[in-house]
């Protein structure tokens, strides 16, 4: 059987690069990776694939319709997997425009191109084609402490500009299925962690700061809860959805692993104490800083549809995943230095330098 081609967008970012690695490792598909290489995208993430004939990198924007049209025409993919996005909530608070441009307008352009392409396919290939929108649990808003985790039936109630832009994109994906029949799939996943996550997100930031004896900045009281999933488990779920998901459906993906931010930070401090006893106790570096505006209090995913319909279960426990992630960052100091140059340092100054440390507050929902 001929190996299919997939157009992956945003494949040079955190989850996208883990996905591309596993797809090529297992040989599921040839991959064309379209990535704009923003501050979050790095060709280094996939440098081991430079000689892989089943992998093509294209530097470009999902909002460039003529480029996307030509990639679809030339590579004839059986699926488009859309990871491309502005993904950092804090950046969306400082400057939402780019989020609207890529997450909403860019995704819509991609949908228009996908529709044109899909309509050009002969019957068998058209019915096999899939457009997979990789989305987030943040579209559902914030849960109270005793609420049931988000199911696929939850109402969309996004609170940050990031979440609102992803929600808008999800609605467009749904509309292209309902109106035009485009065979779409949408996944809403909880917080990922693991190799290649940009150093400005919670876990890599705490690892980096802890290792260099800098403060560990916890927003507000640190009791906000997230549901953590090891990135490879997310990638495995996406492949199953692509291969066996029903067109037009949405699937929630999560780790069934709710943790308060402070618990994450203290777990990392214990791992750091073991690995670098000269810096112990790293918990002395924990610093409460002013809360994120509109900070969602709790996310949690009910992934029973994924378990029931596709037989998916996360395989990595949080303890294993976190310990491995710490080791990975220690062993990839060159990568951290490369992706932390320039823009990252400016971001750290913008987000933290004038934030002020504060008594814990409950500014969130
Ligand atoms: P990331 O920020 O690490 O990577 C985003 C990638 O998209 C980068 O490589 C960037 O260069 C690229 N990109 C940005 N704008 C583009 C454009 N206009 N055209 C082409 N490429 C562009 O993000 P991530 O954490 O890997 O998240 C990937 C996707 O998964 C996002 O859509 C995000 O909403 C979703 N998601 C993330 C998480 C998480 O915990 N990180 C959880 C659930 C869902
Ligand atoms: O829930 C899925 C989402 O998870 C994805 O859609 C997003 O793309 C991804 O970035 C992530 O969003 P979060 O806002 O949850 O991730 P972040 O790593 O930015 O923050 C995790 C939690 O830690 C959040 O409650 C804010 C808090 N935090 C974060 C940073 C960077 C701190 O307390 N201090 C920090 O310095």
């Amino acid at each position: 059987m001929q190996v299919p081609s997939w157009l992956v967008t945003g494949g040079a970012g955190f989850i996208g690069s883990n996905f591309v690695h596993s797809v090529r490792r297992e040989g599921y598909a040839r991959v064309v990776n379209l990535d704009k290489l923003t501050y979050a995208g790095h060709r280094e993430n996939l440098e081991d694939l430079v000689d892989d004939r089943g992998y093509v990198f294209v530097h470009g924007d999902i909002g460039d319709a003529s480029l996307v049209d030509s990639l679809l025409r030339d590579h004839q993919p059986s699926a488009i997997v859309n990871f491309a996005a502005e993904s950092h909530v804090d950046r969306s608070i400082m400057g939402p425009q780019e989020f609207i441009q890529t997450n909403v307008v860019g995704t819509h352009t991609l949908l228009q191109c996908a529709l044109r392409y899909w309509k050009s396919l002969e019957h068998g290939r058209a019915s096999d084609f899939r457009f997979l929108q990789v989305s987030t649990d943040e579209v559902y808003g914030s849960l109270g402490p005793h609420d049931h985790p988000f199911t696929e039936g939850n109402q969309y109630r996004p609170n940050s500009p990031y979440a609102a832009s992803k929600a808008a994109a999800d609605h467009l994906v749904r509309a292209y299925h309902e109106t035009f029949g485009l065979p779409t799939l949408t996944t809403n996943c909880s917080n990922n962690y693991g190799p290649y996550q940009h150093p400005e997100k919670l876990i890599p930031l705490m690892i980096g700061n802890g290792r260099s004896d800098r403060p560990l900045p916890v927003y507000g009281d640190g009791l906000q809860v997230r549901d953590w999933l090891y990135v490879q488990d997310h990638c495995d779920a996406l492949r199953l959805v692509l291969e066996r998901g029903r067109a037009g459906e949405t699937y929630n993906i999560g780790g069934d692993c709710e943790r308060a931010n402070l618990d994450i930070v203290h777990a990392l401090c214990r791992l750091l104490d073991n690995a670098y006893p000269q810096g112990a106790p790293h918990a002395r570096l924990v610093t409460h800083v002013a809360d994120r505006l509109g900070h969602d209090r709790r996310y949690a995913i009910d992934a029973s549809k994924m378990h029931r319909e596709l037989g998916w279960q996360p395989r990595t426990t949080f303890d294993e995943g976190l310990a491995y992630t710490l080791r990975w960052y220690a062993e990839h100091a060159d990568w951290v230095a490369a992706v932390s140059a320039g823009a990252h340092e400016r971001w750290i100054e913008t987000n933290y330098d004038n934030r002020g440390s504060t008594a814990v507050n409950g500014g969130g929902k």
Side-chain angles (χ1 to χ4, degrees), residues 10 12-16 34-38 40-41 60-62 83-87 102 134-136 162 166 189-192 197 201 234:
F14 163 44
I15 306 174
L34 171 63
D35 198 295
K36 189 179 171 184
L37 298 180
T38 67
D61 192 323
I62 57 167
F83 292 97
E86 289 294 330
S87 72
T102 284
V134 181
S135 190
T136 169
Y162 161 68
K166 292 294 290 187
C189 187
S190 62
N191 282 64
N192 285 216
Q197 186 165 32
K201 300 286 178 79
H234 184 191

Side-chain angles (χ1 to χ4, degrees), residues 210-213 271-282 284-285:
R211 290 198 60 199
S212 48
D213 214 41
L271 290 171
L272 287 163
D273 288 348
N274 285 336
Y276 310 102
Q278 66 281 13
H282 290 83
R284 73 193 151 74
L285 299 170

